[in-house]
Amino acid sequence: MRLLLLALAAAGATAAEPQGSLLGAALGSGRGASTLSLPMQIVLLLTALTLLPAALVSLTPFLRITVVLHFLRQALGTQTTPSNQVLLGMALFLTLLVMQPVLADIYEQSWRPLERGEITAAQALERARQPLHAFLLRYVREKDVAMLLEISKTPPPATPADLELRILIPAYVLSELKTGFQIGAVLFLPFLVIDLVVASVTLSVGMVQLPPVMISAPFKVLLFVLVDGWNLVVGSLVKSFY
């Protein structure tokens, strides 16, 4: 988020500066780098901003958190409570909390030297790639990487650090989806037991006026509140990334 704000601020500053400046120092004359025209700078910046939501959803803990919260709401049977806006907002701020060390490394190693004109844009991208690569590699499954290497007919790298992002990114998405579904399945189990018990009791006493799901809903919410479910779920989710 801090990087995005800095990029937007720098883009606004270039509109009032001579054409020799590019995003403050981003693509400017840092050690022999060729300067792009102002329209091309704007096009590149807007293109990067359009890809930002996809990157936020796919390359951060946002993916696992949203999947787990969706499963939790389905398990509770509360339909639209909490609303999608609340769940997405919680997932966004938890993602920023987890990603803060990675963003800080990218800012210190890539953006600040680029802003001071000490490195070129290509060097800044390479420096920004390293913290992101290390973060993704930490949570990727070897099985998913092997499958994607086989599909793309890419020879296996000598070390994990040599794995290309075009393989690492989809492997990370697959790994996070599996992890999110595993956590969601575990969350479903206690609420499923309550549904089964309530359904058995209501059918045994001949109570067919109300569906069992409607009767079990208050018991599931009460159980979730008594065990401080939000603290347990959110705490476990965040700790799974450390």
Side-chain angles (χ1 to χ4, degrees):
M1 181 65 68
R2 180 165 54 180
L3 291 177
L4 175 59
L5 293 176
L6 288 172
L8 291 175
T14 55
E17 292 179 355
Q19 192 163 334
S21 176
L22 175 60
L23 295 181
L27 298 175
S29 56
R31 293 191 177 181
S34 59
T35 302
L36 298 176
S37 62
L38 182 60
M40 182 58 68
Q41 300 171 26
I42 297 175
V43 169
L44 293 176
L45 179 61
L46 292 179
T47 302
L49 291 179
T50 57
L51 297 176
L52 183 62
L56 174 64
V57 171
S58 303
L59 306 181
T60 64
F62 189 88
L63 176 59
R64 182 191 303 186
I65 295 173
T66 51
V67 170
V68 172
L69 292 180
H70 174 76
F71 272 107
L72 175 62
R73 188 173 64 179
Q74 294 295 319
L76 285 172
T78 54
Q79 303 300 324
T80 58
T81 304
S83 64
N84 290 332
Q85 290 82 356
V86 173
L87 294 183
L88 291 177
M90 182 187 301
L92 177 61
F93 287 108
L94 291 177
T95 299
L96 293 177
L97 175 65
V98 175
M99 291 294 293
Q100 193 275 332
V102 179
L103 296 177
D105 289 342
I106 294 176
Y107 178 78
E108 293 294 335
Q109 299 177 19
S110 175
W111 179 265
R112 292 193 64 182
L114 180 65
E115 193 175 25
R116 293 193 296 262
E118 298 175 356
I119 59 176
T120 63
Q123 293 172 334
L125 288 176
E126 179 59 28
R127 290 190 180 187
R129 171 188 172 277
Q130 295 172 1
L132 179 62
H133 189 281
F135 173 81
L136 298 179
L137 192 63
R138 193 181 311 163
Y139 304 105
V140 76
R141 294 191 309 154
E142 185 177 348
K143 183 178 180 180
D144 294 326
V145 173
M147 183 265 293
L148 291 170
L149 288 174
E150 181 181 358
I151 291 176
S152 62
K153 295 181 173 57
T154 303
T159 62
D162 298 330
L163 188 63
E164 299 179 10
L165 283 178
R166 66 184 181 92
I167 301 295
L168 184 59
I169 289 175
Y172 172 81
V173 174
L174 291 175
S175 301
E176 286 297 285
L177 284 175
K178 179 177 181 178
T179 303
F181 272 70
Q182 288 175 335
I183 298 175
V186 174
L187 285 175
F188 248 106
L189 292 179
F191 301 109
L192 180 61
V193 171
I194 294 178
D195 285 332
L196 291 174
V197 171
V198 171
S200 299
V201 172
T202 54
L203 290 177
S204 63
V205 299
M207 185 183 298
V208 295
Q209 293 83 2
L210 292 175
V213 176
M214 184 175 297
I215 300 176
S216 63
F219 293 100
K220 292 191 289 187
V221 173
L222 181 61
L223 172 65
F224 190 71
V225 172
L226 289 177
V227 300
D228 198 5
W230 287 114
N231 183 279
L232 292 176
V233 172
V234 173
S236 300
L237 269 175
V238 174
K239 291 177 183 177
S240 67
F241 290 99
Y242 288 96

